[in-house]
Amino acid sequence: MLPRYGLPLYMAGAAAARTGDEMSGPALLLVGIAVTDSASTGSALLSGIMISAAIGGPVFGAMLDRSATPGRLLTGALAAYSAVLLAILLSLGHLPLPVVIATAVFGGLLGPALAGGWTSQLPHLVAPAQLPRANALDAMTYNLASLAGPALAGAVAILAGAKAGVVAAVALIVLALPAAWALPKSPVTPRQGHKTSVVTDLAAGFIAIVRARPLARATVTSVFSYIGVGMLVTCSPLLGEKALGTTNSGTFLLAALAAASLAANALVAKHPDVLRPDTTVLASTLLLAAAFLLAATVSPAPLFVAMTLAGAGAGPQLTALFAVRHREAPERLRGQIFTTGASLKITGYAIGAGIGGPIATWSLSGSLIAAAGFEVLAALTFMILTAAGRGQGTRSPHGTASPQEQGAAVLPGERVDHIAHERGDDPSEASKGL
């Protein structure tokens, strides 16, 4: 860790970048409608900036892992994303719409950098013993961003116009540039980082996700779970209209969800060793399923209770997912695994948002029940992958399960020592291989 780079600077930068990211989508939606007087234009811009994340995430992650100065690369991605937002704002209404949407798709390639690109650097900033708490605090910045971003986009649009919302999102991302630039250098030497091609590194990253059973299990579970979350968000305006009288009231429901997520992660940050990450991924998914079923009643009081329950599930789920990634990801592939995971979740969210609306026009309750069904599917997937992996993990010489099989929160250094112990190697030498 650099002497003058501390966790508060990281949190400030990550929070600003993520809030700007969460603000940019709703701001583009509003500016598209305002400039062209067409809801389809706003929807197309929002979809365009999300749909390419599945491609951009793995590629950017591979580049991040290969860079000796990942902070400089992250700074470039943030600056480029800001430039794309400004380009969309200046060209909308002046250039053909397909060109503007193509610009949004290009910007979406950089979207995962605003999320996973930061989190992958966290182990370089704190000691291993401090990682669980730092991990929970990091997840809180996501909750804060999801709470403040859409609200800021709406408030700025009301006060100063839709275009000002995009400018404000750009300003927040720009505020994060100094913190990104000052991130510590990578502990991976240039020789280690550049001895293979980008394509080889991409393949290695996906293989690492698939081969590490807890990592694959958490990744697939989170993708299915976020399909349900995307459906819920799409339904929120209709829920607000039906239960509270206006479509704008749906933002209050989402605010309740985000506030509950923030509170839950604050509790986890205070007691980081209480929850086991693998178990939390499963339990939070089941809690989300129950919350969506309760929301399907479409009554005011149950709706707010449902949103609170959903937040209590979504917040710890994110923290647990980060903990699993930190524990299982090899150092050389950490950035790619985080950005790939972020891009896959964004894709799941986009799928949910895409199918949630049409189902809701047929039946609002039916859409929420379907969202709960995806949460149940996520939980079943978790259990199936757990059962499939039994008996295949590494066993200790005494016949007991390894820490990975037990789902314990093994930190990266502890995981290296365990593997070295099984192989009879010197842990200090084994750590060089990561």
Side-chain angles (χ1 to χ4, degrees), residues 125-419:
L125 309 179
V126 298
Q130 298 173 328
L131 185 58
R133 178 177 177 273
N135 183 53
L137 291 172
D138 185 45
M140 287 175 63
T141 67
Y142 283 90
N143 304 140
L144 178 63
S146 64
L147 175 62
L152 283 173
V156 172
I158 291 172
L159 295 173
K163 291 185 177 181
V166 178
V167 174
V170 170
L172 282 170
I173 297 172
V174 169
L175 283 176
L177 293 181
W181 182 268
L183 280 167
K185 292 184 178 181
S186 173
V188 180
T189 66
R191 181 186 62 82
Q192 289 173 312
H194 293 82
K195 64 182 180 181
T196 56
S197 67
V198 173
V199 174
T200 301
D201 283 352
L202 282 171
F206 280 105
I207 290 172
I209 293 175
V210 172
R211 284 185 174 176
R213 176 175 57 85
L215 183 57
R217 182 177 61 189
T219 300
V220 175
T221 301
S222 69
V223 171
F224 281 131
S225 178
Y226 258 64
I227 294 176
V229 172
M231 295 180 72
L232 173 68
V233 172
T234 302
C235 291
S236 62
L238 295 177
L239 283 172
E241 182 178 27
K242 194 163 185 178
L244 303 174
T246 64
T247 54
N248 291 335
S249 300
T251 59
F252 295 114
L253 297 173
L254 294 180
L257 187 154
S261 296
L262 190 62
N265 272 339
L267 186 62
V268 172
K270 189 175 182 180
H271 305 284
D273 298 325
V274 171
L275 299 178
R276 295 168 60 183
D278 302 85
T279 304
T280 302
V281 170
L282 175 61
S284 61
T285 303
L286 294 172
L287 185 58
L288 283 168
F292 293 169
L293 288 175
L294 182 59
T297 61
V298 197
S299 299
L303 263 179
F304 278 98
V305 173
M307 290 298 180
T308 302
L309 287 176
Q317 183 192 70
L318 186 62
T319 301
L321 181 61
F322 287 171
V324 172
R325 288 177 185 165
H326 281 306
R327 187 188 71 204
E328 300 293 333
E331 180 65 44
R332 186 175 64 85
L333 301 171
R334 187 179 302 277
Q336 185 183 340
I337 286 173
F338 268 89
T339 53
T340 299
S343 65
L344 290 173
K345 283 183 62 179
I346 292 172
T347 301
Y349 182 94
I351 292 172
I355 66 177
I359 298 175
T361 58
W362 166 70
S363 171
L364 182 55
S365 295
S367 185
L368 291 168
I369 292 172
F374 276 105
E375 299 300 331
V376 173
L377 176 61
L380 288 175
T381 301
F382 183 98
M383 291 184 281
I384 289 171
L385 291 177
T386 299
R390 283 175 182 164
Q392 298 179 6
T394 303
R395 295 279 170 177
S396 72
H398 304 289
T400 58
S402 72
Q404 285 71 39
E405 290 178 274
Q406 297 171 7
V410 182
L411 297 171
E414 297 172 329
R415 189 166 183 260
V416 172
D417 291 346
H418 173 78
I419 296 172

Side-chain angles (χ1 to χ4, degrees), residues 1-2 5-7 10 118 121-127 130 182-184:
M1 183 177 68
L2 292 180
Y5 196 102
L7 192 59
Y10 168 92
W118 288 89
Q121 303 305 304
L122 194 57
H124 305 161
L125 309 179
V126 298
Q130 298 173 328
L183 280 167

Side-chain angles (χ1 to χ4, degrees), residues 7-80:
L7 192 59
L9 179 59
Y10 168 92
M11 292 298 175
R18 289 163 181 166
T19 302
D21 182 32
E22 291 286 347
M23 190 177 180
S24 64
L28 287 177
L29 180 64
L30 293 174
V31 80
I33 296 172
V35 173
T36 66
D37 197 28
S38 170
S40 62
T41 299
S43 177
L45 288 174
L46 179 59
S47 298
I49 209 162
M50 292 176 63
I51 199 168
S52 56
I55 299 174
V59 175
F60 180 79
M63 294 173 63
L64 199 65
D65 289 327
R66 294 165 65 87
S67 175
T69 55
R72 309 294 170 86
L73 185 61
L74 180 57
T75 302
L78 296 175

